[in-house]
Amino acid sequence: MTVQQALRIVDEDEAGIDKAFKRDVLKGLSEPQKAVPARWFYDERGSQLFEDITRLPEYYPTRAEKEILRAHSGDFRAAIGPGRAVVEFGSGSSAKTPLLLRAIDPSAYVPIDISGEFLRASADRLAEKLPDLPIHPVEADFTRRVTMPAEIDGTARLGFFPGSTIGNMVPRTAVDMLREMRATLEAGSPAGTPPLLLIGMDRIKSRKVLIPAYDDAQGVTAAFNLNLITRINRELEGTMPVDAFRHQAVWNDDIARVEMHLEAQRDIIFTVCEREFTMAAGDTIHTENSHKYGRRSAAALLLAGGWTPLERWNDHDSRFMMILAEASPLRSAP
């Protein structure tokens, strides 16, 4: 499969509307605390805005993770070994990926992302940098089980999940996703060679560091959050007044997460797919969580998802960690 032959897996209705997007938005706007899952941020514009966020001075996770990938390339090579197919979940621009690929000498690279145009453009750019590496892009929702390209059947796999995206999910959903990732990687893997997973997780730290990372001075994160409304209006025949909302980022210390909301600045009535919704001034749509982890809570989450932690690396300020885990043997007893 060439880069241009990326698989497209989108379930649309007769009007060309993504059924999952429609379902999640209508369900979320009908709840007492309105909410839309964070994965729907990533249309083409949202994906580009997120890449802009990763370059902001306030947004430390990308720099910290790149530092780990550069400083510990030899450790990754020793722990992972050559010849695995690297499957990246939510690949985005694949900006950090070359650091890993050059370190471990993989046999193939499979980027998975829900934003198809962005995925294919990123895969084309990476192919120019690494022309000898087979690249097989797959457009899909990676939170569910994904069918891998036939070209990597029988090849040992390394799942790559950088960027602390795991933090966007509540623990129940995160565990479900880790199990789906395991199932995705195990199908077609050689017997006796369990899949590995290299995952990034953001660490708990001062609110003074956390809040600016999600509410930057330039307003890029605000534009990223508000773009969700623009997408709803464009794809779901919405009439949501963008100028009636403002971006909000708050630290919830009880459950160790930054929350992003869209707060209504006045009373509003709007429709989405011909259904009417109302919001009073001060009501919010909860759009994203970013959970932060300690060493024990990170290990507990991975174990619950079927992964046994093997190695862990931090950046020099201990702001961020990357964990290498192995698919755990299935057991009948607790």
Side-chain angles (χ1 to χ4, degrees):
M1 180 185 290
T2 66
V3 171
Q4 290 75 23
Q5 292 172 315
L7 300 177
R8 180 170 181 82
I9 307 173
V10 176
D11 186 13
E12 297 178 342
D13 66 12
E14 65 281 355
I17 294 173
D18 186 322
K19 290 181 180 179
F21 183 39
K22 178 179 177 180
R23 180 185 64 245
D24 284 353
V25 169
L26 292 179
K27 180 177 182 296
L29 293 178
S30 301
E31 295 172 352
Q33 169 58 70
K34 291 176 168 51
V36 176
R39 67 178 177 273
W40 299 117
F41 279 135
Y42 299 97
D43 61 355
E44 186 174 7
R45 173 62 175 158
S47 296
Q48 184 56 62
L49 283 168
F50 182 74
E51 294 305 317
D52 294 342
I53 288 170
T54 65
R55 293 187 285 268
L56 292 168
E58 299 97 329
Y59 193 79
Y60 60 86
T62 300
R63 292 190 301 276
E65 195 167 38
K66 284 183 176 180
E67 177 193 317
I68 295 169
L69 288 165
R70 290 190 180 102
H72 296 283
S73 60
D75 296 331
F76 294 135
R77 187 180 305 113
I80 296 166
R84 287 183 180 260
V86 175
V87 179
E88 184 170 1
F89 297 96
S91 56
S93 69
S94 302
K96 288 168 282 195
T97 311
L99 296 171
L100 176 67
L101 298 178
R102 291 186 176 115
I104 67 170
D105 189 23
S107 59
Y109 173 57
V110 181
I112 306 172
D113 203 272
I114 201 169
S115 179
E117 292 182 13
F118 199 74
L119 167 71
R120 288 182 280 276
S122 299
D124 285 338
R125 288 193 298 269
L126 186 62
E128 293 176 1
K129 294 179 182 178
L130 302 170
D132 296 328
L133 179 67
I135 299 176
H136 310 290
V138 177
E139 182 180 352
D141 178 358
F142 65 83
T143 64
R144 298 179 174 90
R145 192 173 308 187
V146 178
T147 300
M148 290 288 91
E151 288 87 345
I152 68 166
D153 281 353
T155 305
R157 287 97 185 269
L158 168 71
F160 186 40
F161 196 39
S164 193
T165 306
I166 190 77
N168 294 150
M169 298 152 194
V170 297
R172 178 190 67 254
T173 305
V175 167
D176 288 345
M177 184 194 64
L178 288 167
R179 291 172 177 168
E180 293 296 318
M181 286 179 169
R182 174 178 169 153
T184 292
L185 294 170
E186 283 185 325
S189 292
T193 308
L196 299 176
L197 177 67
L198 182 62
I199 185 170
M201 291 190 180
D202 200 8
R203 301 191 62 149
I204 298 170
K205 60 187 70 66
S206 167
R207 183 183 182 279
K208 293 179 181 179
V209 176
L210 288 169
I211 292 301
Y214 296 88
D215 193 7
D216 61 278
Q218 297 179 48
V220 181
T221 313
F224 174 67
N225 201 5
L226 289 162
N227 182 66
L228 179 61
I229 297 176
T230 302
R231 181 179 186 183
I232 290 171
N233 286 344
R234 181 182 67 249
E235 297 185 22
L236 301 181
E237 301 176 341
T239 61
M240 301 178 72
V242 179
D243 62 355
F245 290 90
R246 78 173 183 93
H247 167 67
Q248 182 186 75
V250 297
W251 170 246
N252 187 330
D253 193 60
D254 289 338
I255 45 182
R257 74 186 185 194
V258 177
E259 297 177 1
M260 287 195 348
H261 294 254
L262 290 165
E263 181 183 14
Q265 298 297 285
R266 61 178 188 266
D267 295 349
I268 53 175
I269 301 173
F270 60 88
T271 60
V272 176
C273 291
E274 301 182 345
R275 285 181 55 179
E276 185 174 278
F277 300 93
T278 63
M279 295 180 67
D283 288 349
T284 70
I285 303 171
H286 189 168
T287 54
E288 186 178 58
N289 296 312
S290 186
H291 293 82
K292 310 305 173 185
Y293 294 96
R295 178 172 182 167
R296 292 182 180 86
S297 59
L301 188 75
L302 286 165
L303 288 166
W307 297 93
T308 300
L310 301 176
E311 302 279 352
R312 181 175 61 91
W313 299 274
N314 296 313
D315 68 297
H316 75 282
D317 286 329
S318 293
R319 299 166 297 177
F320 197 91
M321 58 185 162
M322 297 195 77
I323 300 173
L324 181 66
E326 182 179 76
S328 306
L330 296 175
R331 298 179 49 173
S332 299

